[in-house]
Amino acid sequence: MIELIPAIDIIDGQCVRLTKGDYGQKTVYSNTPADVARQFEAYGFKRLHVVDLDGAKSKHIVNDSVLRSITSATRLTVDFGGGIKTDADIEKAFEAGASMVTVGSIAVTQPDLFLSWVSKYGADRMILGADVRNGKISINGWKEDSDEDLLPFLKKYVEAGVKSVLCTEISKDGTLSGPAIGLYQRVMAAYPSLHLIASGGVSSTDDIKALDAAGIPAVVFGKAIYEGRINLGELKNVASQ
């Protein structure tokens, strides 16, 4: 059964969604992310993905106070990403109530630092972020493309003990055009024991069913909820939360 993880993306303290990671294509859905989180909890969700988009752009955590407001208002298991570049950032995220953190850019630019965090905090609290554009890993809020190809990038970290990967197909993100199921199937074929979290493009309950049928362990979705494409009540009949 696929794990369902709603998402809250934050800019200027507000709950927003971008299209293809473009900060110029921003839609604000709520001024109070904690209220949105409470609604998710009321529908029975246990997990939440929170992204500090200001932090991703600024290269340090910005919205830790918003994270704290969410973790204080709910009992959700929150994974937090965006702007985690230093030991101080990761400590700030955990102090604000995050149960797990998602780290992408540092895993590209400072792999030894990322692996030191996996060792220090444990693989269960560290999610490797793998944001993909044209087959390459993108970093720093999707503003820069690296030379890293997806599967070799994952290989070195899976071999080092990483258990969970959040993989976003940037061309799909916020487009409601359907998830990149083929991409996720290739990852699962290469690393069948990986807890892969699919992200980007989910537009309907049928998309989630398709990911489940393809054997993808988990999915993050946001815009489809905020645009009324997914009925949260119906999801209870689809998969585990």
Side-chain angles (χ1 to χ4, degrees):
M1 296 278 280
I2 193 167
E3 182 181 18
L4 305 177
I5 309 172
I8 293 178
D9 292 356
I10 304 166
I11 291 179
D12 295 332
Q14 300 173 312
C15 175
V16 308
R17 293 299 289 177
L18 305 181
T19 299
K20 298 183 181 180
D22 183 354
Y23 285 73
Q25 298 186 60
K26 178 184 75 174
T27 303
V28 177
Y29 292 101
S30 173
N31 292 322
T32 50
D35 288 344
V36 177
R38 276 192 288 262
Q39 291 172 6
F40 289 143
E41 187 175 41
Y43 272 102
F45 290 96
K46 301 293 190 289
R47 175 91 176 261
L48 180 67
H49 177 61
V50 177
V51 182
D52 182 354
L53 290 174
D54 291 314
K57 193 174 183 179
S58 302
K59 302 183 182 181
H60 61 86
I61 289 180
V62 174
N63 287 293
D64 52 302
S65 62
V66 179
L67 170 62
R68 184 174 285 104
S69 73
I70 290 170
T71 58
S72 298
T74 72
R75 299 177 66 182
L76 293 165
T77 297
V78 177
D79 77 78
F80 178 83
I84 297 174
K85 307 294 186 185
T86 64
D87 292 280
D89 286 320
I90 202 168
E91 288 292 343
K92 185 179 289 187
F94 286 139
E95 287 171 3
S99 298
M100 295 165 279
V101 294
T102 300
V103 178
S105 300
I106 288 298
V108 175
T109 61
Q110 299 181 60
D112 290 343
L113 178 59
F114 175 71
L115 287 173
S116 76
W117 291 342
V118 175
S119 177
K120 180 177 180 179
Y121 299 105
D124 291 336
R125 301 192 77 187
M126 299 295 301
I127 301 170
L128 173 62
D131 302 326
V132 184
R133 179 164 44 213
N134 299 322
K136 302 288 187 180
I137 301 293
S138 290
I139 60 175
N140 296 327
W142 303 347
K143 296 299 181 185
E144 303 171 37
D145 292 333
S146 75
D147 294 325
E148 296 267 10
D149 291 312
L150 176 61
L151 291 182
F153 174 74
L154 295 180
K155 183 177 187 292
K156 60 186 176 185
Y157 287 118
V158 171
E159 291 177 348
V162 168
K163 299 177 180 179
S164 186
V165 171
L166 174 67
C167 185
T168 302
E169 170 51 72
I170 296 170
S171 69
K172 294 280 190 178
D173 191 71
T175 66
L176 301 172
S177 61
I181 294 177
L183 173 70
Y184 306 130
Q185 287 178 316
R186 289 194 295 275
V187 172
M188 291 306 300
Y191 311 110
S193 65
L194 195 63
H195 186 72
L196 178 65
I197 306 167
S199 173
V202 171
S203 66
S204 66
T205 301
D206 285 343
D207 284 339
I208 293 174
K209 290 178 178 178
L211 286 164
D212 192 20
I216 310 307
V219 58
V220 162
F221 52 101
K223 192 170 187 177
I225 300 172
Y226 302 122
E227 294 289 338
R229 301 286 194 96
I230 287 179
N231 182 309
L232 293 180
E234 292 177 358
L235 285 180
K236 293 180 180 179
N237 300 318
V238 175
S240 64
Q241 297 177 23

